[in-house]
Amino acid sequence: MRAKTPSESRTVMTDLVLPSETNPLNNLFGGELLARMDRAASISARRHSRRITVTASVNHVAFNSAVPLGSVVTVEASVSRAFNTSMEIFLDVWIEDRFTGERTKANEAIYTFVAVDDTGKPTEVPPLEPETDLEKERYAAALRRKQLSLVLAGKMKPADATELKALFLNN
């Protein structure tokens, strides 16, 4: 299976925030933003694996800035690491100033998707080869996040979490 780069899975979705998508403060509903991020992440996972993909978990969401009514919002998603059958997808959410066109990072999230075959059974995905410094940073951090998740779920012994131990032993 040929290794792929994060740019091969990159998905960019841009849309406008409409009145029916806002809360009483005229900001985008958090759930609406989660749905947009889930769709972008799903496309990225599918582009990487060329398989049916399903959301396994939403590992992290940071609602750092409100997204006001009328904003142009862009969700950028790409695979940050591929494991056996799962992929971590890192998402950046940008809002565009209506008057200047300046983009500001408003939110970010990390989702995990699993590739499945036609019967719903998890199936192998291609490896990922990060290229840029940011891609390499996210790639390395993905393994630490996965190990932490496995330890917390009782599926890995803390002593076996080599990447997590290295964080504390090397500092």
Side-chain angles (χ1 to χ4, degrees):
M1 211 178 271
R2 180 182 75 77
K4 295 185 176 182
T5 65
S7 62
E8 291 178 275
S9 71
R10 188 166 184 260
T11 300
V12 179
M13 294 175 52
T14 301
D15 204 356
L16 186 66
V17 177
L18 302 173
S20 64
E21 302 166 327
T22 62
N23 62 25
L25 296 173
N26 285 325
N27 293 317
L28 182 66
F29 278 118
E32 175 63 31
L33 182 56
L34 289 169
R36 291 179 187 201
M37 290 188 292
D38 194 49
R39 284 191 290 275
S42 176
I43 293 168
S44 287
R46 181 143 190 160
R47 283 180 172 162
H48 180 80
S49 66
R50 291 296 168 200
R51 297 288 190 169
I52 298 167
T53 60
V54 295
T55 309
S57 64
V58 177
N59 307 341
H60 167 76
V61 177
F63 294 108
N64 297 320
S65 299
V67 181
L69 172 65
S71 294
V72 172
V73 61
T74 299
V75 177
E76 296 178 357
S78 62
V79 176
S80 49
R81 184 139 187 173
F83 296 98
N84 290 332
T85 61
S86 67
M87 296 153 282
E88 180 188 270
I89 317 297
F90 204 101
L91 298 111
D92 295 299
V93 178
W94 302 87
I95 53 175
E96 185 178 312
D97 183 278
R98 291 178 267 210
F99 304 107
T100 67
E102 182 180 338
R103 286 176 19 128
T104 305
K105 187 171 176 181
N107 304 294
E108 64 182 24
I110 302 170
Y111 283 48
T112 298
F113 275 74
V114 173
V116 297
D117 64 18
D118 292 336
T119 65
K121 181 182 175 195
T123 187
E124 191 176 348
V125 300
L128 187 80
E129 286 185 11
E131 297 178 314
T132 69
D133 289 342
L134 178 60
E135 290 168 355
K136 290 173 184 175
E137 179 184 317
R138 289 179 174 179
Y139 180 88
L143 182 55
R144 293 189 295 271
R145 284 188 287 272
K146 181 170 179 98
Q147 286 185 355
L148 179 59
S149 177
L150 291 170
V151 168
L152 292 173
K155 296 179 180 179
M156 175 184 266
K157 294 178 184 176
D160 295 335
T162 55
E163 294 299 310
L164 293 177
K165 288 187 338 188
L167 278 177
F168 298 102
L169 298 177
N170 293 336
N171 290 326

